[in-house]
Amino acid sequence: DSGVTQTPKHLITATGQRVTLRCSPRSGDLSVYWYQQSLDQGLQFLIQYYNGEERAKGNILERFSAQQFPDLHSELNLSSLELGDSALYFCASSVLSEDAGELFFGEGSRLTVL
Amino acid sequence: GENVEQHPSTLSVQEGDSAVIKCTYSDSASNYFPWYKQELGKRPQLIIDIRSNVGEKKDQRIAVTLNKTAKHFSLHITETQPEDSAVYFCAAAGGGADGLTFGKGTHLIIQP
């Protein structure tokens, strides 16, 4: 158990819908990262938050947004869903703000868009 | 932004033999290079990492080498065992506000 909690574990929805994925980092970790894992694309970095502030942005679509709350949990919002958004979404946390330390991954949220 | 290329995409070795996975990166400012192992249906977990001020690091059967001039780094697994079967990801970070950039992964298969 990494200490990072993600909900829901599985989610099935239809195209055009909106979903919210939730992540609780390890106790004491200030950084939260979101990654998208598709079969042929590996782990695609979406966005990083550190202590409530956006710190780094990757290949995140405009239809996607995220935030980190004062209690440090984070939510990833995916809207106007398309078939291609079906993937495993990982949240990871670390104690550092820079990317020079171990990331602890949650178990992931598997999104299926029909 | 950073771009990490990883090869091969699939590697099959006999149990007991060695396995080598190679990665190249594009951003010369990157200074942190971790390797993650992801077993089927599980989350990625860090197995070893190396920083730019070190050329080699070893942890039991696993070693990582870094060549900053050529911008490539490699994972070496010796005396492979069935439990080494997994997908391995290399990554690079530290060159800017791009987060940790992962390669596309290598599916390592250990043949009995």
Side-chain angles (χ1 to χ4, degrees):
Chain A
D1 184 6
S2 65
V4 178
T5 303
Q6 287 188 250
T7 57
K9 285 186 169 48
H10 301 276
L11 190 55
I12 301 174
T13 189
T15 55
Q17 296 298 304
R18 173 190 169 94
V19 298
T20 297
L21 309 180
R22 182 188 168 99
C23 169
S24 293
R26 288 189 325 156
S27 176
D29 284 358
L30 300 178
S31 271
V32 169
Y33 306 74
W34 286 98
Y35 284 87
Q36 179 191 58
Q37 185 172 42
S38 304
L39 275 176
D40 58 348
Q41 291 297 318
L43 288 160
Q44 293 285 317
F45 170 65
L46 297 179
I47 198 164
Q48 179 202 355
Y49 282 84
Y50 176 76
N51 203 21
E53 300 289 328
E54 181 185 307
R55 190 188 176 274
K57 209 165 188 175
N59 299 318
I60 187 166
L61 300 172
E62 285 192 12
R63 300 183 286 107
F64 296 1
S65 65
Q67 57 183 324
Q68 186 180 29
F69 295 87
D71 67 353
L72 300 177
H73 90 270
S74 178
E75 292 182 356
L76 178 66
N77 301 296
L78 315 175
S79 62
S80 302
L81 286 168
E82 301 175 359
L83 296 178
D85 296 328
S86 295
L88 186 55
Y89 291 84
F90 280 107
C91 168
S93 74
S94 76
V95 66
L96 301 173
S97 61
E98 288 78 30
D99 304 298
E102 181 174 2
L103 297 189
F104 294 87
F105 284 82
E107 298 294 329
S109 291
R110 182 168 296 282
L111 173 65
T112 303
V113 182
L114 300 175
Chain B
E2 176 66 274
N3 182 49
V4 178
E5 299 284 340
Q6 183 171 349
H7 299 280
S9 56
T10 303
L11 178 61
S12 181
V13 301
Q14 289 293 125
E15 183 179 348
D17 288 350
S18 296
V20 180
I21 302 171
K22 299 182 179 182
C23 289
T24 60
Y25 60 99
S26 61
D27 189 345
S28 57
S30 288
N31 55 20
Y32 176 62
F33 308 93
W35 287 86
Y36 282 79
K37 174 184 180 182
Q38 186 178 25
E39 297 177 2
L40 189 63
K42 301 276 185 71
R43 59 189 170 84
Q45 290 186 272
L46 179 73
I47 56 171
I48 195 167
D49 57 12
I50 192 167
R51 301 180 189 276
S52 59
N53 58 346
V54 175
E56 184 175 357
K57 184 176 179 180
K58 190 172 181 180
D59 182 4
Q60 298 182 358
R61 295 186 298 108
I62 294 173
V64 58
T65 58
L66 171 65
N67 183 327
K68 284 221 72 180
T69 303
K71 288 190 283 188
H72 69 71
F73 56 114
S74 300
L75 178 72
H76 305 254
I77 305 174
T78 58
E79 301 172 10
T80 53
Q81 300 169 5
E83 54 265 35
D84 294 330
S85 293
V87 178
Y88 291 79
F89 292 96
C90 64
D98 293 335
L100 188 62
T101 302
F102 284 85
K104 291 195 176 183
T106 295
H107 186 193
L108 177 62
I109 302 166
I110 307 302
Q111 302 279 6

